[in-house]
Each structure stands twice: as structure tokens, then as C-alpha cells.
Amino acid sequence: FFLREEIPEGAAVAVLTGVHPRIRGRVWKEVMVFRELRVVHVYGIVNYGGQCYRRLEYSTNCKYALAGLQPAFSSRQSPWPEWGRHQGGKPDIEPKNFPPSVVLSRTLVRRDPQPGAGEEGREPLDDTAEWSDGDVSEEEDDEGERTVWERAQREGEQFLPTKVLEGLLPEALLKSYRFYQTNSWPHRVIHGYKLNQNGEEEDSGTPQHFVEVRLVKCADVVPTRTRGWQATVAQHSPGRPVHYLLNLLYAAEGSPLHSLARTLTRFEDLSHILAWTSVDPQSAGSGPSAKIPTIDLVEMPRLAVNFKCVQRGDELRLYCVDHGDLFLPNGPPSALRSEAGRLLAPLPHALLLQTENAEFHVLCPNV
């Protein structure tokens, strides 16, 4: 394992690249070390349709994994180590040949991707410097069409199986949507179409309920402090404004989003927590003058529990949708709240809620 470059000062995440003596010349594993969460994620490189994808194989704490990893339930001869109390998954320790894969591509595009709001249709947050790191050039994509297969590769959209997105998008989205990547240049838009109760897509014309993922080249990815790729995830639903997914995994320590992640992982894994904002990150800007996204809605579909943001005076509170008078307490803890927290210590999977009259309630998953 080695570092591709020195870890910049202030980086919250370090990325290690692993190679194997038997397969020199290509990356075998990628390891992400989270300084603030004290968590390590191991990604394996899988091949699908001639392209390589990262897939989460192991985490030292599956509560902070975007894939639904499960701790081992088998009997053990000794207690688990302190750092691996909630470890899950099992990485391959020997390299394997990539199996043959079948790529499904359809010429029909159910949602035409809109150009970016920046110059020449680019994304507003795109880095203007010339660097590729996996990006497809327009000249490379426009060499000419010779076969039906090549034409299909430049039109329509290609199906992405769940396995190539595990650990990259929350599993709650992977279970509710079927994802396709557009084949037109520059291949940076992925659409997820809502599935019905039978596990099928909507078949009534243009889908109205969908998720759009747009890949963006960034000169400074905040967690790693290096250049690289990020993604914006927008959810479009009839009857409500567009919501954008907030990344709880990479939230900076001390931020409200980081505090929310620490609190909610008592109750549910990050793989099934969806935090949404109405602030478009593409128009929020960057740097000190950037608009800070608000936490407008939090969904936990596996437990059927949702929270919405409500302004109460100078304070923003997350109220439980199903129990309208209960909200997540924030701010400095009072003596009464501290005592309630001590009583809750034997229930590490429970959530403490509060009313306007400082009455406390415990929300506990029935699983």
C-alpha cells in the first residue's frame, strides 16, 4: 500500500492505493482512513463492461458505511478488538480474474440530461484546469461510429448494476431506484428511476420521480484536500421542490451535519439515512462566501422514521414527522438532559427526543 501523494495539512481523509505482486500494473485495493471518525474503509476494484469501479468490501465500523454491511454473527473465542466492535464485510485477500460481464444499453433515454449551468454546458463547480484522471475527452469520444454496438455506446443509457455502486451511494437509494448512466459525452450523468412495489420502473412515459447524479471535477476535494471527483445527487419528486443529498460520511468535524451523523448512527446506519437540503450545491458557490446548506429533511426508510427542519425563533430544530411535538435536542445540554442521557447509556441504539416543555422521550428501533 502506498500514498499517491503526500497528505495535505488539514485533510480529514487519507487514501491509500494497494497493488498485488501477481497483478502489477493496476490498482487492486483502495483504503480510505477517516481521521475524525476513526474508521477505515477497504474498497475492491471490480470490472464491469470493461470499466473499473470501486466497491466497498470492508469497514471497521459498518455504522459509518454507505453499503449495508453486517457484523459477523458467528461464535468467537475472544472479545472483539475495541477498534472493530462494529466491523463488517470481508475483503478478498487474493486477487481474482475479472469474470465476463454483460452490459445492457438501451437507445431510449427516459430523462434527457440537462447541460450544466456553467460555461459551454459544464458544471458550475468544474475545475477549469486541464487534467483528466479518468475523464473522457470529447475528441476521444468522437472518433466515428462503425458498428451498431458503437452507436449504442454513444446514444441512450447503460444499466449500472447495484454491485458497482455499493459504498458510493447510500443503500437506501440503491434499493429504491434503478440506475442508468447516459452514454453521450462526457458520460457524467447517472439517472435513478423509482421502483414500484414489484421492483419495476414506472412505465408511464417520462418518469417524474427520479434521482440525478452529476459527476464534478474539483480542484480541491475538502475531505482529502486534493483534486478529484465529487458528485451531486438531486431527488426530483412531483409536488415538492428538488432536494439535494447531504453527505453525512464526509461531514467536517464540528459541523451540524457531523453532529447529526454522530447522533443518528445510534439509531440507524448511514447506509439507510438520507439527509436532504433544498440548497443547490452547484449554485451555492465555494470558498468563504459559499452558502451553507441547511438540513431540511432526514429520511430513514428502513425504520419508517422521518425528521423535518422547523424554525423556532432563532433556533432550527429537527422535528419527528410521525410525532410532531418531539424534536432532536441540540445546543448545550441542560442538567435534566444530561441525566436523561446517563439513564439512556444501557440503550446505545436508542434516540433521545424532547418536547417544548423539556419532557424527554426515547425512540428505539423494534428490530
Side-chain angles (χ1 to χ4, degrees):
F1 292 89
F2 60 92
L3 289 169
R4 290 187 175 181
E5 54 187 282
E6 291 294 327
I7 302 176
E9 184 179 355
V13 179
V15 181
L16 302 174
T17 300
V19 297
H20 197 280
R22 286 169 42 192
I23 51 172
R24 294 183 181 274
R26 66 176 175 87
V27 176
W28 179 48
K29 303 284 186 183
E30 281 192 356
V31 179
M32 304 190 73
V33 183
F34 295 80
R35 183 185 63 186
E36 295 158 355
L37 295 176
R38 303 293 191 268
V39 175
V40 175
H41 288 174
V42 178
Y43 291 82
I45 306 301
V46 298
N47 183 282
Y48 172 74
Q51 300 184 49
C52 291
Y53 299 85
R54 289 191 306 144
R55 181 187 185 187
L56 185 62
E57 294 182 337
Y58 170 81
S59 174
T60 57
N61 191 338
C62 60
K63 287 179 171 290
Y64 293 102
L66 297 183
L69 303 178
Q70 292 293 332
F73 295 103
S74 57
S75 58
R76 55 191 315 126
Q77 302 300 320
S78 60
W80 48 76
E82 183 179 355
W83 55 264
R85 171 64 181 86
H86 300 287
Q87 62 180 330
K90 186 177 181 181
D92 294 328
I93 59 175
E94 290 293 335
K96 299 179 181 178
N97 295 327
F98 293 139
S101 56
V102 176
V103 176
L104 301 178
S105 184
R106 59 189 185 190
T107 56
L108 170 68
V109 179
R110 303 199 65 186
R111 294 290 316 191
D112 289 325
Q114 299 298 316
E119 296 181 1
E120 300 180 354
R122 294 184 176 275
E123 304 296 337
L125 297 180
D126 255 348
D127 183 18
T128 56
E130 293 296 330
W131 57 277
S132 59
D133 284 3
D135 198 10
V136 180
S137 68
E138 189 171 10
E139 295 78 11
E140 198 175 275
D141 189 67
D142 196 28
E143 294 178 348
E145 301 174 2
R146 298 180 180 179
T147 65
V148 175
W149 170 247
E150 289 177 345
R151 187 169 67 251
Q153 287 294 92
R154 290 172 170 82
E155 301 173 1
E157 53 191 9
Q158 175 182 310
F159 170 68
L160 293 179
T162 300
K163 68 177 183 179
V164 304
L165 297 174
E166 289 178 347
L168 304 179
L169 288 175
E171 185 164 328
L173 289 180
L174 300 183
K175 288 183 175 180
S176 302
Y177 295 85
R178 184 173 294 161
F179 288 88
Y180 293 82
Q181 183 173 13
T182 57
N183 289 331
S184 58
W185 183 86
H187 315 296
R188 288 215 215 151
V189 180
I190 298 173
H191 282 135
Y193 302 118
K194 184 71 173 178
L195 301 178
N196 57 27
Q197 295 180 349
N198 298 323
E200 300 295 335
E201 301 174 33
E202 300 177 12
D203 55 2
S204 56
T206 304
Q208 300 300 313
H209 194 146
F210 65 97
V211 166
E212 184 177 70
V213 182
R214 304 184 79 94
L215 304 180
V216 182
K217 292 197 316 185
C218 292
D220 183 18
V221 179
V222 175
T224 61
R225 296 296 179 185
T226 59
R227 73 182 186 187
W229 290 88
Q230 295 190 113
T232 61
V233 181
Q235 185 186 61
H236 300 256
S237 300
R240 78 175 192 180
V242 179
H243 281 85
Y244 301 89
L245 187 66
L246 295 169
N247 197 328
L248 295 169
L249 179 60
Y250 294 96
E253 188 174 21
S255 66
L257 200 60
H258 180 84
S259 176
L260 180 68
R262 287 284 196 181
T263 300
L264 293 184
T265 48
R266 291 176 54 95
F267 189 66
E268 176 63 288
D269 297 343
L270 284 189
S271 59
H272 289 82
I273 301 176
L274 303 175
W276 303 97
T277 180
S278 57
V279 178
D280 184 358
Q282 295 274 13
S283 61
S286 57
S289 60
K291 184 178 180 182
I292 300 177
T294 57
I295 305 171
D296 298 322
L297 178 67
V298 178
E299 298 177 321
M300 290 178 274
R302 184 162 65 175
L303 299 178
V305 176
N306 301 321
F307 290 86
K308 63 179 180 180
C309 188
V310 178
Q311 183 80 37
R312 286 288 186 267
D314 297 333
E315 186 180 8
L316 279 174
R317 295 176 179 174
L318 278 173
Y319 277 84
C320 184
V321 174
D322 301 305
H323 306 278
D325 60 333
L326 301 181
F327 62 91
L328 284 172
N330 54 7
S334 62
L336 188 60
R337 181 172 143 202
S338 299
E339 181 63 24
R342 284 192 290 269
L343 293 175
L344 203 61
L347 297 173
H349 56 286
L351 206 59
L352 186 67
L353 301 179
Q354 180 180 334
T355 67
E356 294 279 357
N357 299 323
E359 298 174 344
F360 293 98
H361 297 251
V362 175
L363 190 62
C364 187
N366 185 24
V367 293

